[in-house]
Amino acid sequence: MAHENLKFSVNLNNQNWQPILGNQDYNTFYMIYIKFNQIYSEANDFGVTEYKYNCDFRIQNFRGEITMGFSGTPLISLNENPVTPDEVNRVDVNIILKISPFNFNEIQEGVILKLPQPIDHDFVLRTGLERHLPPSDVYNEEDPIKTKYLDPYRYRRDGDTVIEIGTRPYNSNGVFKSIDDGGIGTPGLGICAPDLSTIINQA
């Protein structure tokens, strides 16, 4: 089954936890859930109607040694051109969640997501990640040889030194990028990361 066909169903009228992402980072597999507390619209200071979604987010660490947690405020945006010619990769709405390792912040409550138009039935939502570095007390970005924890997305240890790692498309002449530039479904971790949801408005 193609990754694009692996979609969660998210009901805007359901006030229970609903999954929107499964992923693996730093060898920890986790799920992220959303809960819709309130949906409403109101005019902003310029008289323009905004559609607001009061949400909670939860990250559940299932397997792995390192705890992943939230490290910033989620962002939401609408795609101006959501449909590709083949409609396979259609995405109407993007939510970007900020996470980091060694972080026990598992729940974000009362997050207000604002959009210029409502999220409609059958919209496709993509959940993306902005991955932040490990905290400075365990990871020394300036001197990876002397760090307590070596960031596996940038380096591999080799005796008394470290090797920088990166990826680029096969048979291309582009520059190598750090592995973490790839976003979710990081190359080399051997996991399919379902990140798409179909919006339903059933009562």
Side-chain angles (χ1 to χ4, degrees):
M1 180 181 294
H3 181 196
E4 293 80 4
N5 294 327
L6 297 175
K7 291 185 177 72
F8 299 108
S9 293
V10 172
N11 187 341
L12 297 182
N13 297 309
N14 183 346
Q15 294 185 332
N16 297 311
W17 291 112
Q18 300 178 77
I20 55 173
L21 175 69
N23 198 35
Q24 179 171 303
D25 277 305
Y26 297 93
N27 205 35
T28 291
F29 173 72
Y30 57 93
M31 296 284 294
I32 292 180
Y33 303 84
I34 192 170
K35 181 194 293 184
F36 292 93
N37 302 315
Q38 186 182 11
I39 300 173
Y40 59 100
S41 63
E42 62 182 12
N44 62 20
D45 294 339
F46 303 99
V48 177
T49 299
E50 291 182 325
Y51 298 85
K52 299 185 177 182
Y53 299 81
N54 182 317
C55 303
D56 299 342
F57 292 91
R58 178 188 177 202
I59 184 169
Q60 184 177 26
N61 291 280
F62 274 97
R63 182 174 296 165
E65 300 78 19
I66 295 174
T67 299
M68 303 296 297
F70 296 114
S71 56
T73 304
L75 303 173
I76 191 170
S77 63
L78 291 172
N79 278 349
E80 294 183 3
N81 299 300
V83 181
T84 60
D86 57 7
E87 294 198 28
V88 172
N89 298 312
R90 171 181 168 177
V91 175
D92 300 281
V93 185
N94 290 293
I95 289 181
I96 304 297
L97 301 171
K98 301 175 183 181
I99 64 166
S100 63
F102 303 97
N103 184 344
F104 199 67
N105 185 16
E106 295 183 315
I107 293 183
Q108 290 184 314
E109 296 181 315
V111 176
I112 305 296
L113 302 175
K114 303 177 184 179
L115 288 172
Q117 70 181 67
I119 299 174
D120 206 352
H121 182 75
D122 283 340
F123 270 25
V124 175
L125 164 71
R126 169 164 280 151
T127 305
L129 295 177
E130 180 178 301
R131 186 192 301 109
H132 294 169
L133 291 173
S136 59
D137 60 333
V138 297
Y139 175 57
N140 182 354
E141 185 179 10
E142 302 300 323
D143 191 354
I145 294 178
K146 295 182 180 178
T147 188
K148 296 178 185 177
Y149 179 79
L150 193 64
D151 187 351
Y153 295 100
R154 293 195 60 190
Y155 304 103
R156 292 286 184 267
R157 195 181 304 278
D158 187 16
D160 294 330
T161 187
V162 296
I163 298 171
E164 292 190 72
I165 56 176
T167 64
R168 70 178 182 187
Y170 173 71
N171 206 25
S172 76
N173 295 319
V175 297
F176 280 93
K177 295 182 178 180
S178 172
I179 287 181
D180 63 351
D181 290 339
I184 69 171
T186 303
L189 293 183
I191 186 171
C192 176
D195 60 349
L196 298 176
S197 304
T198 300
I199 300 298
I200 57 177
N201 290 326
Q202 295 175 345

